């Protein structure tokens, strides 16, 4: 299965009538493996800061999480495993696997819990597969 299929069928899946507004799978080096057509263009330093927060949890909290020029307030996640952010009625969930990070961006009516479920469930599956 291609990485694009994981984005299209698993990250952008329908959950109780809602779905993520954008999603991507990005290697730890910042290389895009697959993304939705409307995923924001991000800067390499934004991915570097996210990866740094996985290594040293809490580094993003004071400044916020930036992705594609959008700033998210960092919420409690799972140190070294999941980073969650909020901006207005939407937010972001980032799950780290052995080789990549899965990024899901949502807006209302999708809830933070639904976004977490979609992103983290696929991340857990990829971890089980060795990715």
């Amino acid at each position: 299965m291609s990485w694009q299929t994981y984005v299209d069928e698993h990250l952008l899946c329908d959950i109780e009538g809602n779905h993520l507004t954008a999603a991507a799978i990005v290697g730890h080096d910042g290389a895009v493996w697959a993304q939705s057509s409307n995923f924001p263009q991000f800067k390499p330093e934004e991915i570097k800061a996210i990866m740094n927060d996985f290594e040293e949890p809490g580094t993003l909290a004071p400044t916020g999480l930036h992705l594609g020029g959008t700033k998210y307030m960092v919420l409690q996640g799972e140190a070294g495993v999941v980073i969650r952010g909020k901006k207005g009625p939407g937010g972001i969930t980032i799950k780290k696997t052995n080789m990549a990070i899965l990024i899901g961006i949502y807006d209302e009516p999708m809830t933070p819990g639904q976004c977490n479920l979609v992103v983290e469930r696929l991340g857990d599956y990829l971890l089980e597969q060795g990715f």
Side-chain angles (χ1 to χ4, degrees), residues 13-34:
C13 68
D14 190 284
I15 180 164
E16 296 174 23
N18 301 317
H19 54 84
L20 297 174
T21 51
I25 301 174
V26 178
H28 288 181
D29 61 357
V32 175
W33 292 11

Side-chain angles (χ1 to χ4, degrees), residues 1-114:
M1 188 179 329
S2 79
W3 292 112
Q4 191 62 48
T5 305
Y6 281 104
V7 170
D8 296 341
E9 294 182 8
H10 297 280
L11 291 176
L12 296 176
C13 68
D14 190 284
I15 180 164
E16 296 174 23
N18 301 317
H19 54 84
L20 297 174
T21 51
I25 301 174
V26 178
H28 288 181
D29 61 357
V32 175
W33 292 11
Q35 65 183 9
S36 60
S37 60
N38 59 344
F39 195 79
Q41 182 68 41
F42 58 84
K43 297 179 180 138
E45 55 267 23
E46 293 172 329
I47 298 299
K48 190 173 179 184
I50 290 166
M51 291 306 299
N52 186 48
D53 193 79
F54 280 121
E55 298 303 317
E56 298 175 44
T59 56
L60 285 176
T63 58
L65 183 161
H66 293 87
L67 188 74
T70 300
K71 179 180 176 180
Y72 298 89
M73 179 179 68
V74 177
L75 305 174
Q76 185 176 359
E78 251 180 281
V81 180
V82 177
I83 300 170
R84 298 183 184 112
K86 186 92 174 110
K87 178 176 175 56
I92 189 168
T93 300
I94 305 171
K95 169 82 174 187
K96 182 179 181 232
T97 69
N98 296 328
M99 300 167 68
I101 55 175
L102 283 66
I103 305 170
I105 300 172
Y106 70 94
D107 278 307
E108 286 183 336
M110 186 172 226
T111 67
Q114 289 172 327

